Amino acid sequence: MKSKYLTSAFWLIVSSALVKIIGAFFKIPLTAYIGAQGRGYFATAYNLYIPVHAVVMGALPIAVSRLISKYNALGNKEMLSSIKKGGDGVFLITGAVSSVLIVLCAKPYCVFIAHSENSFYTSAVLAFSLLFSCLSGSYRGYFEGLMNMKPTAVSQTLEAVFKLVLGLLFAKYTMLRLKAQGIDNVYPQTSAAAMLGVTLGSFMSLLYLFICYRINRDKTLPKGNAEKGRRELLKFSFPIMISCAIQSVFQFLDTASIQYSISELGETQLNKLMGIKTDDICSYAYGVFNTALDFKNLITGVTMALGVTAVPAICRVYEEKNYDYLNMLTNRVFKYTCVLSLYAGGFIFLCSKDILTLFYSKTASDIVNLSDKLTGYFALSSVFYSLASTAVFVVQALGVPERSIKSYIVSGTVRIMLNIVLIKYFFLNGAVIAGALGYFVLFIMNLSVIKRASGVKADIKSVLVKPAGIAVLAVFLCNLLYSTVNYNNFFLVNLLIEFALFSLIYYILCLITGIFKFDTYILIKKVKKMA
């Protein structure tokens, strides 16, 4: 089980890292094409899309994964077939309804809440990718329940590649055509064209998963009862969907409160704070905010792989009532989540300006100065987002997702209230503080749920305190080295040296303090052999 879990985690972490890297290569030149204002349109579209996506994709694929894991452990092949067949219809209907819902809500949201009417085109194009994502989720949940993460890893990588290629091609082509026609404000149409690439990328991911399933499906499975599987899936996923819906409502209100608080500062104040004048300063400021947010999402997107992989593993151990191993496995998932997020967050915090300069100095130099400190603060706060996400996955794996509802409400309320208060005084940095505190509350409350449901008690010292101390010490030591040593005149080489130094110091400190133990190397060796 240890080797299988780490093998699965290995595939997802590698693919998640690739997806985030590809995503960075997509967003960086895209920002050069559409500017901070266009990024504001892009971000507004996702603000409407993500809550609906989170409800559907945060509930149904996890439910499929857990049920497939459960019946696979019990050797019930009939129910395996029933869950798959019943799930296909549920995902199709849910995806279609959700896409139509986003299209209907796009105009009112963009006009009355985001104060960005031009974001409508981008939002409408993105809506249809939800249908393809839902259908993909049916296949991913099935494979993940069998602890086969390769299809998920490959499909999300393919999706990112097609998004990169098609999105940039469509954006560049649209911009050239519109400028040739003498149109100055090309950002709304260019953003929508780039989003079309995103939608087509999700379709290509679905196509791969369909082919993969047809080739690799177990032909010995009995026919199965689709209606029985559908009832079982809906019964199990309903409390997850309710908890995800509540979480998504507060996520939506969180982002809406940030946009509202930014607009409440007024154009004069925003122009002064941003040091620039533009026709749509609210979208510009929110675009800068989301550019910094990209790097935090890069970290949490990779660490989320640990939580996703943990669901079938923890579910199986819990069903087998192996509570000693459950305690050990859960704490290790938390520990490695923390270690990984602090490692990435510490490096980005140290080198945020250098990283932004590398990506944006030639195409959008204004973003470098405006996002420098914000990017670093977001990177440090990523550990709270990562731990909270993993804790939620563990609760779902234990089969008690409804117990997380209270934590979503409390955490969301904290974030919304703090956004309104802190953005007024600390501008965009206020949203960073609000998010970090809100997700820390979410993490702590879900730890309590886990303890009550399974008896697992998180070892806070090894899970959070010790890794945090190592990260602080590594940042301090590297900051001394970076400020006293002049490496050479090549900027990129300097950045690589800084990365190597931080990695070496962080790794050595983890060895000295016992964060990495000998048995971990044995497991990693097994993973490499199996991979």
Side-chain angles (χ1 to χ4, degrees), residues 83-338:
I83 295 297
K84 180 67 181 72
K85 286 189 174 183
D88 288 342
V90 171
F91 277 91
L92 175 62
I93 295 172
T94 304
V97 172
S98 300
S99 295
V100 172
L101 178 65
I102 291 178
V103 172
L104 294 176
C105 294
K107 192 73 173 183
Y109 172 76
C110 294
V111 174
F112 299 111
I113 297 178
H115 301 285
S116 179
E117 185 174 356
N118 288 330
S119 299
F120 168 73
Y121 308 104
T122 311
S123 302
V125 173
L126 179 61
F128 295 99
S129 70
L130 190 55
L131 172 61
F132 305 134
S133 295
C134 280
L135 294 173
S136 296
S138 177
Y139 294 105
R140 288 179 179 178
Y142 177 79
F143 286 121
E144 288 168 10
L146 299 174
M147 291 198 74
N148 179 7
M149 303 299 171
K150 287 185 181 180
T152 296
V154 175
S155 66
Q156 66 184 19
T157 304
L158 279 176
E159 181 175 352
V161 170
F162 276 100
K163 177 177 74 173
L164 167 69
V165 175
L166 297 178
L168 292 180
L169 283 176
F170 292 164
K172 187 172 183 178
Y173 176 77
T174 304
M175 177 171 283
L176 292 175
R177 286 295 301 269
L178 292 175
K179 286 190 173 181
Q181 297 173 20
I183 299 174
D184 293 327
N185 186 14
V186 299
Y187 299 130
Q189 294 87 348
T190 306
S191 300
M195 196 62 84
L196 178 60
V198 174
T199 300
L200 291 177
S202 62
F203 172 75
M204 297 306 297
S205 173
L206 170 62
L207 182 61
Y208 164 78
L209 287 166
F210 173 76
I211 295 172
C212 185
Y213 175 75
R214 298 294 296 180
I215 294 174
N216 297 293
R217 62 177 176 164
D218 185 355
K219 296 180 181 179
T220 65
L221 289 178
K223 189 174 182 181
N225 187 320
E227 180 62 28
K228 186 178 180 181
R230 184 161 50 248
R231 287 198 305 268
E232 180 82 1
L233 177 60
L234 290 174
K235 179 182 177 181
F236 182 81
S237 65
F238 184 73
I240 302 180
M241 192 170 291
I242 293 298
S243 62
C244 286
I246 293 173
Q247 183 185 23
S248 296
V249 166
F250 278 98
Q251 181 65 41
F252 174 80
L253 293 175
D254 182 14
T255 54
S257 67
I258 293 173
Q259 289 185 293
Y260 173 79
S261 299
I262 289 173
S263 65
E264 280 296 291
L265 293 173
E267 290 188 10
T268 302
Q269 181 70 0
L270 283 173
N271 286 327
K272 182 179 178 181
L273 289 167
M274 303 303 296
I276 190 171
K277 289 186 177 181
T278 179
D279 294 336
D280 198 348
I281 189 63
C282 291
S283 293
Y284 182 90
Y286 195 61
V288 169
F289 176 79
N290 274 272
T291 301
L293 194 63
D294 288 342
F295 293 91
K296 188 273 290 181
N297 290 338
L298 173 65
I299 299 169
T300 55
V302 173
T303 57
M304 187 178 290
L306 291 170
V308 171
T309 312
V311 171
I314 289 176
C315 169
R316 182 162 186 166
V317 174
Y318 181 68
E319 292 290 337
E320 293 172 350
K321 303 186 185 304
N322 190 347
Y323 296 115
D324 289 337
Y325 185 67
L326 177 64
N327 188 78
M328 185 276 291
L329 177 61
T330 303
N331 274 285
R332 283 200 175 185
V333 172
F334 281 129
K335 181 175 73 173
Y336 294 136
T337 297
C338 190

